[in-house]
Amino acid sequence: MVWYSYYIIPIVYLIAMILVGVLVAKKQETRADFYVAGGKMNAGLLFSTIFSTVVGANTYMGFSGMVYHDGFSMMWLLVAAGSAYFVLFFISGKIRQIARHFQVFTLPDLMALRYSSSVAILTTLFSLVALVGGAGGSILGIGVILHSILGIDTTLAILITSVVTITYTAFGGLMGVALTDWIQSIIMVIGLILVIVFGLQALSPESTLMNATISGSEVMQTVLGGNFMSLTESATFMMIMTWAITFLPLNTISQTQIQRVYSAKNVKTIQRISLLMVWFVALFMAFGLALVGGIGKALIPDISNAETIFPVLAMEVIHPWIGIIIVTGILGACMSTVDSNLLGAGIHVTRDIYEKNKQRLGKTINEKHTISITRWTLVTIGVLSTFAALWTPSIMELLLLTQKIFAGATFIPIILGLLWSRANTKGATTGILLGAGATIYCQIISSTIDPVIIGILFSLAGTIIASLISTEETEKGKQFIYKTINKKDMVFLSIILVGYIAFLVGVNFVNVWPILIVITLIGLLIGVLLLIIYILPRKRKIGEEP
């Protein structure tokens, strides 16, 4: 089949993304507008931008490819990563309250407020490593998609989409990113629903859509065998723990996540969305993308690159015009991760290096000039991330390497800073340096225990011991004491937890899968409807937090 006739859809999509960025740019008057959307982001935008940031090429392509290659037990890896949102629920309200009382735009801002400027500088360094690596991984995903499906040269595809992503991000700031993420999220989720439904239909072509959906797990088990369908065959406990520890910082205290917490219109919004993300990512997305990997293995058992199974299925099992829309959505998933990482990295350089230096010298910060510097910084970092993508052969390899360094270095000092008033600057500095050093060293020597686990342990020991033996004041820790979780929140948490446990118990029994497949499809569809409903402005009640 000649694919060039379908180019019109991704071309129109790319142009639309640039237009969104340019239109939003006209409303960017202050740094707060550009950095954190003025702290007024509603539930629909907030959910979609958090979702799109973490569910990019590494998830849609890397994860479904892992299931295709190693079986359904790989599902636990995305479950582990998505479960991090339980932690975000407990800390996001406190972070949002801090943002309400202090002028904070970045993760290093938080670290400077809690510890010192030296700790903030170290945090900036390791956060930049993770952001550039994350952007590079998703840029690489874009090239793989367009090359595998449309036959476009990988390098050319990377260059074109990088220019588009850098452009709309530089113009629109966080609100521009959030609006494009909203569009991308809807296409991505609808695409997943269609690929699952039509993929199961392709496994049982004589059956109706409903019957094919209900009997899909049985057909897959017949074709693929019990080992492939087993939830315990390939994944080990240590592997799952490694993923959980690696992605916990990404989904809770990374610059991209913290920035979105700051932007939430109130505490309640970010806390409720944190819990909804558990179901959406750890259950529905994990099981749904695992189904894609299984369906792909059954229908196309000898694909050359397992990471392309999702876009290939989109084009093969659905009408090509619908398939190319879905592929464009996956392209959007890649771009959504790229734009968030680029924005976070650009703000690091401007806010945490340029602005802090101006403040140290006692100079006035010009809002418009600072936004302009941020935009040019985005362009520079985007170019660096593009080169990183061109030099790295694997999406997951690039993402995991940079995330492990960031996790090993910063997670413990940040979490202890939020939860333990005794933590201090010497403890945080020691924890960051020990954690980073141990992670990098173990990565170089290819240790049998995953480097990030060793890094976390060294960071934990360094932070606690150095904090206990030093004599710094604990006043900074006391200003972080906020109680943001009430009885209603705990009821909501209980409901989410019961559903979470029930789903994960049921997934271990293949005879329960027909029910779980239907629940997953309904859950994803409800997610789309809520994204559309909650994008609309809501009239604030009297006495409600602004």
Side-chain angles (χ1 to χ4, degrees):
M1 181 181 289
V2 179
W3 297 111
Y4 64 82
S5 59
Y6 301 111
Y7 287 7
I8 185 65
I9 291 177
I11 289 174
V12 169
Y13 176 82
L14 294 176
I15 293 173
M17 294 301 98
I18 292 177
L19 290 176
V20 168
V22 172
L23 291 174
V24 172
K26 296 179 180 179
K27 298 182 179 181
Q28 305 290 353
E29 298 179 355
T30 68
R31 290 171 297 152
D33 292 336
F34 192 86
Y35 294 166
V36 294
K40 300 175 182 178
M41 198 175 292
N42 65 22
L45 280 177
L46 191 61
F47 183 94
S48 60
T49 192
I50 291 175
F51 170 72
S52 295
T53 300
V54 298
V55 181
N58 56 296
T59 305
Y60 266 77
M61 297 181 63
F63 175 69
S64 57
M66 291 173 70
V67 174
Y68 178 98
H69 189 270
D70 296 315
F72 273 95
S73 59
M74 293 294 105
M75 172 185 164
W76 293 113
L77 302 184
L78 190 53
V79 170
S83 299
Y85 290 103
F86 279 122
V87 176
L88 185 63
F89 165 73
F90 285 103
I91 66 173
S92 59
K94 177 176 291 192
I95 295 170
R96 181 62 184 85
Q97 284 290 68
I98 292 168
R100 186 182 180 188
H101 291 90
F102 303 94
Q103 189 181 52
V104 288
F105 297 134
T106 65
L107 175 59
D109 273 348
L110 191 70
M111 297 296 273
L113 183 66
R114 177 61 181 84
Y115 295 118
S116 66
S117 58
S118 61
V119 174
I121 291 172
L122 287 174
T123 304
T124 300
L125 172 64
F126 290 109
S127 183
L128 276 172
V129 169
L131 290 169
V132 173
S138 291
I139 289 172
L140 177 59
I142 294 172
V144 171
I145 291 173
L146 296 182
H147 175 71
S148 302
I149 304 304
L150 301 180
I152 300 175
D153 178 73
T154 302
T155 301
L156 178 62
I158 286 174
L159 293 176
I160 291 173
T161 50
S162 293
V163 169
V164 172
T165 309
I166 291 168
T167 300
Y168 77 70
T169 305
F171 274 109
L174 184 58
M175 184 56 77
V177 166
L179 286 171
T180 58
D181 284 350
W182 180 75
I183 298 169
Q184 291 157 356
S185 294
I186 292 174
I187 299 175
M188 287 156 55
V189 178
I190 291 176
L192 178 56
I193 293 171
L194 292 176
V195 169
I196 293 172
V197 170
F198 284 98
L200 293 173
Q201 172 75 69
L203 290 175
S204 305
E206 303 301 321
S207 302
T208 63
L209 277 176
M210 179 59 71
N211 290 335
T213 300
I214 294 173
S215 63
S217 57
E218 183 180 347
V219 175
M220 277 192 288
Q221 188 170 30
T222 301
V223 175
L224 301 173
N227 289 341
F228 189 93
M229 301 290 288
S230 170
L231 269 293
T232 58
E233 181 66 23
S234 301
T236 64
F237 177 77
M238 187 59 69
M239 184 188 302
I240 295 170
M241 284 299 298
T242 298
W243 264 62
I245 293 172
T246 300
F247 285 93
L248 182 58
L250 173 66
N251 295 342
T252 54
I253 51 83
S254 65
Q255 168 61 22
T256 55
Q257 202 69 271
I258 289 286
Q259 204 172 340
R260 279 145 183 81
V261 174
Y262 292 158
S263 71
K265 64 178 182 178
N266 54 42
V267 167
K268 178 182 176 181
T269 298
I270 185 59
Q271 288 182 165
R272 296 295 171 87
I273 284 178
S274 298
L275 290 179
L276 290 175
M277 286 292 292
V278 173
W279 272 12
F280 211 73
V281 176
L283 302 184
F284 303 146
M285 291 301 299
F287 189 55
L289 287 171
L291 287 173
V292 170
I295 293 169
K297 186 70 171 180
L299 292 175
I300 313 172
D302 55 354
I303 194 170
S304 58
N305 183 352
E307 290 187 335
T308 64
I309 190 58
F310 193 105
V312 168
L313 279 179
M315 297 299 296
E316 295 294 336
V317 304
I318 310 175
H319 188 282
W321 280 104
I322 299 176
I324 195 63
I325 294 174
I326 295 171
V327 169
T328 303
I330 305 172
L331 173 64
C334 302
M335 294 169 64
S336 67
T337 303
V338 175
D339 58 35
S340 297
N341 281 277
L342 291 182
L343 182 61
I347 292 174
H348 270 331
V349 173
T350 307
R351 170 68 176 175
D352 301 314
I353 298 175
Y354 171 76
E355 286 189 23
K356 294 299 170 64
N357 185 58
K358 293 272 286 186
Q359 291 173 353
R360 184 177 60 82
L361 297 175
K363 296 182 179 179
T364 303
I365 297 174
N366 181 281
E367 298 279 353
K368 296 290 185 182
H369 181 62
T370 302
I371 293 175
S372 177
I373 292 175
T374 304
R375 286 173 171 152
W376 282 110
T377 303
L378 282 172
V379 174
T380 304
I381 295 174
V383 172
L384 294 176
S385 296
T386 302
F387 279 118
L390 294 173
W391 290 336
T392 307
S394 170
I395 298 171
M396 297 307 292
E397 178 184 332
L398 180 59
L399 179 77
L400 287 172
L401 175 61
T402 55
Q403 293 306 320
K404 285 178 180 179
I405 295 172
F406 173 73
T410 64
F411 180 68
I412 292 298
I414 293 169
I415 291 295
L416 289 184
L418 291 170
L419 304 178
W420 185 39
S421 62
R422 186 69 178 82
N424 57 38
T425 298
K426 292 179 180 178
T429 302
T430 304
I432 289 174
L433 294 177
L434 284 179
T439 303
I440 295 171
Y441 176 75
C442 291
Q443 190 74 41
I444 293 173
I445 66 172
S446 301
S447 62
T448 54
I449 300 176
D450 195 277
V452 73
I453 294 178
I454 297 176
I456 289 285
L457 292 175
F458 269 80
S459 181
L460 178 63
T463 304
I464 292 176
I465 294 172
S467 293
L468 290 175
I469 64 176
S470 60
T471 57
E472 289 186 36
E473 296 293 333
T474 60
E475 292 302 317
K476 288 187 174 182
K478 293 178 181 178
Q479 70 182 357
F480 274 42
I481 298 175
Y482 293 103
K483 184 178 180 181
T484 60
I485 299 175
N486 56 37
K487 291 182 179 179
K488 289 184 178 180
D489 296 324
M490 294 306 295
V491 170
F492 193 58
L493 171 63
S494 300
I495 294 171
I496 294 294
L497 191 58
V498 169
Y500 171 84
I501 294 172
F503 193 102
L504 294 182
V505 170
V507 83
N508 288 280
F509 304 94
V510 178
N511 60 329
V512 182
W513 281 28
I515 298 174
L516 298 183
I517 291 174
V518 172
I519 290 174
T520 297
L521 293 173
I522 293 174
L524 292 171
L525 183 58
I526 291 174
V528 172
L529 294 176
L530 291 178
L531 283 177
I532 295 172
I533 293 171
Y534 280 98
I535 192 67
L536 301 174
R538 183 173 64 90
K539 188 175 181 180
R540 184 162 56 90
K541 297 178 182 178
I542 297 175
E544 184 179 2
E545 180 187 345

